[in-house]
Amino acid sequence: MTTPNPLKPSERMKIPRQEPLEQDAAARSTNFLEVSFGFDMDRTIVEAQRCLDCKTPYCSDGCPVGIDIPGFIRLVLAHDYVGAVRKIREANYLPAICGRVCPQETQCEELCVMGKKLTPVAIGKLERFVADYEMREKLFQPPAITEHREEKVAIVGSGPAGLTCAAELAQKGYRVTIFEALHAVGGVLRYGIPEFRLPKEILDIETERIKALGVEIYTNFVVGRTATIDELFGEWGFSAIFLATGAGTPTFMGIPGEHLSGVYSANEFLTRVNLMGAYRFPDLDTPIRIGKSVAVIGGGNTAMDAVRTAKRLGAEKAYLIYRRSRQEMPARQEEIHHAEQEGIQLLLLTNPVRIIGNGQHWVSGIECQRMELGEPDDSGRRRPVPVQGSEFVLDVQTVVEAIGQKPNPIIQSTTPGLTTSKRGTVVTDETQKTSRQGIFAGGDLARGGATVILAMRDGKQAAAAIHDFLTAKPLA
Amino acid sequence: MFRIIQTRQLAPTITLFEIEAPFVARKRKPGNFIMIRVDEHGERIPLTIADSDPARGTITIIVQAVGKTTKQLCALKAGEAIRDVVGPLGTPTPIQHHGTVVCVGGGVGTAELFPIARALKDAGNTVLSIVGARSHDLIILEEEMRQLSDRLFLTTDDGSYGRKGFVTDQLKDILDAGDGVHAVFAIGPLPMMKAVSVLTRSYNVHTLVSLNTIMVDGTGMCGGCRVTVNGAMKFACVDGPEFDGHAVDFDELMMRNRTYVDLERMADERHACKLAGMTREVIS
Ligand SMILES: Cc1cc2nc3c(=O)[nH]c(=O)nc-3n(C[C@H](O)[C@H](O)[C@H](O)COP(=O)(O)OP(=O)(O)OC[C@H]3O[C@@H](n4cnc5c(N)ncnc54)[C@H](O)[C@@H]3O)c2cc1C
Ligand SMILES: Cc1cc2nc3c(=O)[nH]c(=O)nc-3n(C[C@H](O)[C@H](O)[C@H](O)COP(=O)(O)OP(=O)(O)OC[C@H]3O[C@@H](n4cnc5c(N)ncnc54)[C@H](O)[C@@H]3O)c2cc1C
Ligand code: SF4
Ligand code: SF4
Ligand code: FES
């Protein structure tokens, strides 16, 4: 196949990495509109020209769902954007989402050869452009489903793992039903990741595309309560079940003062704002409280989203308190960068020890302690140790704890024979099989907190395993 | 959408609804609740399932109009629908044979108590019930409670019906009579449940209360419903809503429940204004 790239490799390497268009930092820190506009068509073409179209594309190895990256970039260069997004969708049913929220710098882009000496190709932004193009021009057509199968498969949870598994199985011809506990679809994509990073309209469109494959979705259905797993197999007649209920239970630090009004888990804070639309109170009914100064505890994507949300809700000062150093922060680079631009103050190597009340049961401050890095711990990261006598008090009226989540135990505790780990995750083998025949699990439920793309990888893998399970010949 | 089959006014501000929710109806047990969202813009609020009819596929809820959402709900008529209903949620009440139990209901709490009292009766307990309210017109489910109880006591704060005084006055008399009360189940406003728990502690009688915390999801996902029980953090929506009344930190919970008072009032007043505005338009 002739490559449509007119440039010689040496010329391609001279092109600087394109920068995305973004909303101005001062303006955006007061609104919930999307921060990044991504690439326009010109930038897309220029960026695509940077790709060396490698014989051995390491980039694709870095993508957990194995997108044919040089393949889709070639189609971009041929101006066949719809062809490009169809190529992506062969491996990834939710490109508009991944293009926005994947931590590309530790995945596809980390392995891109251009990154060895120069900067990697902006694969995520290219992916986003073609997905948005298809959406804007309304050129989506659901892939043709050629076979139809009788077996019914239940998917529990409508986050990226569940949606992906549903899309895969529906394309294989299965009758697929998704059960979702909340009143809206999407999991963390709906209630966790804010509008300014992932507009809900995009999620709605992607959800419609899943439905276009014939997938049935029951919202307001808590598996384990509204019906148990064994009832889904029994009276409901499902032949296999994929559990993708995520890691939705918040953990609290266990420091004094957590019962005070004004203290939130990040999940509650973000759910009120994203799922319930509290930023539009009183036009919508769900309230949220925000003080003049807000402290968010944690260093991951969740903490970053919470602190940037607090700023947008009108906090004059928004602090992020993290006990390790910047290097160890698990949040995406782009988000840390955006947060700083928006005036978020990072208090690194700092650990909260106590939340202080004002005598009327409201938060009035948080006492913190400075930390320094000691010996590496189990995770290989240097362990933070407190500096004696370094305590100080920060005046804040709102505290949000974003220190991690664990799986919700409702299903595990109502499903006999399902093996779980000490951390509460459901144990699976490498094909997503659980300890119980016909039950598969993946995403954050199996991994603890991870990423959207890993959840999708698990969803795909589970779909393949379910297909094998349902088509396996019974042993004679 | 969840269709309303019928409504019945039980008291000036308290309405009973029978709602079509077949999956919930089949699975619900005494002590379970649902989360509802009246419409697209609504808040999620918890309501106890007072009764269910699996054959008809319906559940019954009894709602007191106290703020924006409950007022909006109470204005709905048979044939209209509720946007979202999810459940049954919460850990069901542990029902067993205790011997003699006292069931204490305050205000709309009697609606939450009713299914539990009936289950306790069905389990062979002698059920003494105390139903209290501020005044006569706020007493609900009197006949239903009378039928299932071995004895029913009524109290009103203003003496307009039954005994004048608080439910705890009646409860104290029962405990003092020394006939051996094995357990107390109390559901009502937090100050009432606290007073009951304080009283029964001195008699060393096991007491279960049902906590009205602020909830968002009702499935253990937000931690907004957290309460301190025996010094430990519990999530009322999954670990409860019922807890040992002697172990609950009521004062802390009462403070937490005030978190949104002014904002709630604002939403309520806005709602009232909108309604008033609508009437004006209709009139002019
Ligand atoms: C605030 C925040 C920001 C993040 N940002 C990023 C990011 O930028 N990039 C990235 O890659 N990752 C990010 N992550 C992580 C990522 O979102 C998760 O790893 C991913 O969503 C996990 O997908 P999942 O499908 O396993 O579960 P989830 O997305 O958690 O979805 C699980 C779904 O199951 C439902 N459910 C739970 N229990 C039941 C039940 N019993 N019955 C029925 N339904 C049930 C839940 O309501 C939920 O909708 C972020 C996470 C958070 C919290
Ligand atoms: C597990 C559980 C079961 C419940 N069952 C019932 C029931 O069967 N019938 C019923 O009428 N109510 C029940 N409630 C209470 C009901 O959820 C609240 O009355 C409702 O959330 C108020 O919403 P609102 O928007 O109408 O009022 P808001 O404007 O939110 O509040 C108005 C006022 O009501 C009070 N209030 C607010 N939230 C609560 C609360 N959670 N509990 C008690 N008072 C509150 C406050 O004083 C507040 O200022 C239950 C609560 C819980 C947690
Ligand atoms: S899905 Fe994520 S990892 Fe894969 S190519 Fe796209 S941005 Fe990279
Ligand atoms: S590794 Fe980089 S340069 Fe090579 S094909 Fe992938 S994106 Fe293009
Ligand atoms: S209501 Fe959210 S955890 Fe209980």
Side-chain angles (χ1 to χ4, degrees):
Chain A
M1 182 173 167
T2 53
T3 153
N5 196 333
L7 305 178
K8 291 203 282 286
S10 59
E11 291 171 318
R12 296 181 215 174
M13 283 157 70
K14 288 209 186 80
I15 307 171
R17 178 169 156 128
Q18 299 298 292
E19 290 300 328
L21 299 158
E22 282 171 3
Q23 220 197 124
D24 170 68
R28 74 180 188 237
S29 61
T30 61
N31 69 42
F32 278 83
L33 302 176
E34 199 171 7
V35 167
S36 171
F37 301 126
F39 286 162
D40 54 12
M41 195 175 285
D42 292 344
R43 286 178 172 77
T44 299
I45 295 293
V46 175
E47 186 65 26
Q49 285 173 347
R50 296 183 64 229
C51 173
L52 302 174
D53 199 2
C54 307
K55 286 250 154 34
T56 315
Y58 291 110
C59 53
S60 294
D61 294 343
C63 171
V65 295
I67 291 177
D68 174 3
I69 294 168
F72 98 75
I73 293 181
R74 246 179 268 134
L75 289 162
V76 169
L77 284 172
H79 301 278
D80 182 3
Y81 307 115
V82 174
V85 72
R86 290 199 182 133
K87 169 129 276 205
I88 295 173
R89 198 170 284 110
E90 287 168 15
N92 173 345
Y93 204 76
L94 308 170
I97 293 171
C98 291
R100 285 176 166 79
V101 303
C102 250
Q104 292 97 5
E105 70 268 17
T106 60
Q107 293 176 334
C108 52
E109 294 182 18
E110 184 174 40
L111 298 189
C112 168
V113 292
M114 283 285 281
K116 290 250 154 61
K117 290 209 184 88
L118 304 159
T119 48
V121 174
I123 300 165
K125 291 286 184 296
L126 294 178
E127 183 175 350
R128 171 178 167 175
F129 175 83
V130 294
D132 286 1
Y133 176 88
E134 180 194 47
M135 240 176 229
R136 198 171 52 240
E137 304 294 326
K138 301 196 170 29
L139 293 169
F140 172 77
Q141 275 173 355
I145 298 171
T146 48
E147 276 179 282
H148 286 278
R149 299 174 196 271
E150 273 315 298
E151 291 94 337
K152 296 199 319 180
V153 182
I155 311 273
V156 188
S158 66
L163 291 177
T164 303
C165 187
E168 292 283 320
L169 287 169
Q171 290 178 76
K172 289 190 165 77
Y174 291 100
R175 292 157 63 196
V176 181
T177 307
I178 298 179
F179 295 98
E180 168 55 50
L182 293 171
H183 59 257
V185 171
V188 171
L189 306 176
R190 173 78 53 183
Y191 74 76
I193 301 183
E195 181 76 16
F196 60 82
R197 280 213 292 134
L198 177 63
K200 298 303 160 252
E201 194 192 344
I202 293 195
L203 178 58
D204 291 337
I205 294 173
E206 296 279 32
T207 306
E208 285 309 313
R209 292 172 175 182
I210 305 264
K211 287 191 193 156
L213 297 171
V215 173
E216 190 183 17
I217 304 183
Y218 280 98
T219 50
N220 291 318
F221 199 112
V222 185
V223 173
R225 294 267 198 256
T226 316
T228 61
I229 291 292
D230 286 305
E231 286 163 345
L232 292 183
F233 277 126
E235 52 204 84
W236 286 75
F238 287 101
S239 306
I241 299 178
F242 178 52
L243 301 179
T245 52
T249 299
T251 44
F252 285 86
M253 298 190 73
I255 57 177
E258 286 176 321
H259 56 276
L260 293 167
S261 292
V263 180
Y264 292 95
S265 75
N267 258 18
E268 178 180 358
F269 189 77
L270 291 169
T271 299
R272 281 180 180 271
V273 178
N274 298 327
L275 177 70
M276 305 308 300
Y279 64 100
R280 289 165 62 197
F281 181 88
D283 287 337
L284 305 191
D285 294 346
T286 306
I288 187 119
R289 274 261 172 229
I290 195 90
K292 267 192 173 164
S293 305
V294 177
V296 175
I297 307 166
N301 285 316
T302 311
M304 214 55 81
D305 284 343
V307 76
R308 295 173 70 198
T309 297
K311 184 86 191 174
R312 283 164 172 75
L313 289 170
E316 287 168 18
K317 289 212 173 82
Y319 303 101
L320 187 105
I321 303 179
Y322 182 55
R323 65 197 181 111
R324 299 178 192 258
S325 69
R326 188 194 193 91
Q327 256 183 322
E328 285 93 12
M329 286 177 82
R332 292 179 67 213
Q333 286 305 324
E334 186 179 355
E335 309 311 334
I336 302 175
H337 176 65
H338 280 155
E340 286 193 295
Q341 285 179 334
E342 288 162 15
I344 306 299
Q345 296 183 40
L346 305 186
L347 298 178
L348 301 171
L349 287 166
T350 304
N351 197 37
V353 289
R354 175 169 77 99
I355 303 170
I356 301 162
N358 68 354
Q360 269 132 35
H361 209 80
W362 276 93
V363 174
S364 64
I366 186 164
E367 183 177 321
C368 302
Q369 184 173 52
R370 298 270 180 224
M371 311 292 278
E372 58 195 7
L373 291 180
E375 296 299 308
D377 63 11
D378 301 343
S379 71
R381 299 180 298 182
R382 291 176 62 196
R383 187 196 303 273
V385 285
V387 178
Q388 291 308 318
S390 65
E391 289 76 12
F392 65 98
V393 173
L394 212 56
D395 286 339
V396 294
Q397 299 79 41
T398 307
V399 172
V400 181
E401 295 193 17
I403 57 155
Q405 272 120 247
K406 24 178 225 264
N408 188 313
I410 290 180
I411 291 182
Q412 296 82 302
S413 62
T414 52
T415 310
L418 197 62
T419 304
T420 52
S421 75
K422 254 197 249 141
R423 296 182 302 144
T425 52
V426 167
V427 177
T428 69
D429 70 3
E430 60 289 353
T431 69
Q432 314 303 135
K433 275 200 201 86
T434 69
S435 56
R436 264 196 58 181
Q437 174 151 355
I439 304 183
F440 301 76
D444 281 4
L445 171 65
R447 294 172 180 272
T451 60
V452 170
I453 192 67
L454 287 172
M456 291 178 55
R457 192 209 74 108
D458 290 356
K460 278 185 78 169
Q461 188 133 303
I466 288 170
H467 180 60
D468 287 348
F469 169 68
L470 293 177
T471 49
K473 300 259 180 320
L475 293 174
Chain B
M1 291 297 229
F2 297 78
R3 209 156 55 91
I4 299 170
I5 304 297
Q6 58 153 324
T7 68
R8 186 151 53 94
Q9 191 90 28
L10 300 186
T13 55
I14 303 179
T15 313
L16 174 149
F17 294 86
E18 190 185 4
I19 301 167
E20 214 166 59
F23 303 144
V24 183
R26 279 203 297 190
K27 295 284 293 186
R28 86 31 97 155
K29 294 206 173 69
N32 280 144
F33 65 94
I34 51 174
M35 296 295 296
I36 67 133
R37 204 168 64 122
V38 176
D39 64 21
E40 198 53 42
H41 296 165
E43 193 175 1
R44 293 169 65 102
I45 65 159
L47 295 166
T48 304
I49 309 170
D51 206 350
S52 68
D53 186 338
R56 280 160 62 91
T58 62
I59 56 171
T60 300
I61 54 172
I62 296 175
V63 187
Q64 179 163 34
V66 293
K68 156 92 210 268
T69 308
T70 46
K71 284 180 188 169
Q72 204 187 346
L73 179 60
C74 286
L76 295 180
K77 305 268 170 303
E80 295 186 284
I82 298 173
R83 171 82 211 196
D84 297 296
V85 170
V86 60
L89 302 173
T91 305
T93 315
I95 300 294
Q96 62 184 81
H97 181 81
H98 296 274
T100 298
V101 298
V102 183
C103 292
V104 189
V108 76
T110 305
E112 304 172 41
L113 183 70
F114 165 68
I116 296 168
R118 193 171 53 188
L120 286 164
K121 182 66 200 170
D122 291 346
N125 292 286
T126 299
V127 176
L128 309 180
S129 299
I130 308 173
V131 169
R134 282 203 309 280
S135 59
H136 186 186
D137 57 349
L138 293 172
I139 296 270
I140 57 167
L141 303 177
E142 180 183 344
E143 266 328 295
E144 288 82 350
M145 288 299 289
R146 191 185 306 283
Q147 273 184 22
L148 68 83
S149 308
D150 292 273
R151 278 197 75 182
L152 173 70
F153 302 89
L154 298 160
T155 67
T156 51
D157 298 3
D158 64 0
S160 55
Y161 196 55
R163 172 177 177 165
K164 179 172 168 35
F166 297 122
V167 289
T168 38
D169 301 336
Q170 185 64 55
L171 178 60
K172 185 165 188 319
D173 288 353
I174 295 174
L175 293 167
D176 282 338
D179 299 337
V181 171
H182 300 101
V184 171
F185 294 78
I187 309 185
L190 285 172
M192 179 209 107
M193 292 192 283
K194 180 185 170 186
V196 167
S197 301
V198 168
L199 177 67
T200 57
R201 184 187 284 128
S202 56
Y203 292 81
N204 209 4
V205 176
H206 178 65
T207 299
L208 219 59
V209 295
S210 179
L211 299 182
N212 293 355
T213 61
I214 293 172
M215 294 187 178
V216 182
D217 57 296
T219 62
M221 202 189 95
C222 74
C225 63
R226 62 192 186 275
V227 290
T228 305
V229 180
N230 250 338
M233 186 189 288
K234 298 280 174 197
F235 290 0
C237 68
V238 285
D239 301 322
E242 283 152 24
F243 293 99
D244 175 357
H246 298 160
V248 170
D249 187 338
F250 282 102
D251 295 336
E252 180 188 295
L253 177 55
M254 286 191 252
M255 296 304 280
R256 273 189 71 74
N257 272 9
R258 297 184 51 76
T259 304
Y260 299 104
V261 175
D262 52 335
L263 294 179
E264 283 159 353
R265 201 176 305 125
M266 178 171 153
D268 189 22
E269 278 163 11
R270 235 173 96 103
H271 180 58
C273 285
K274 267 200 204 149
L275 288 181
M278 267 158 57
T279 350
R280 260 203 305 281
E281 268 167 43
V282 174
I283 294 167
S284 61

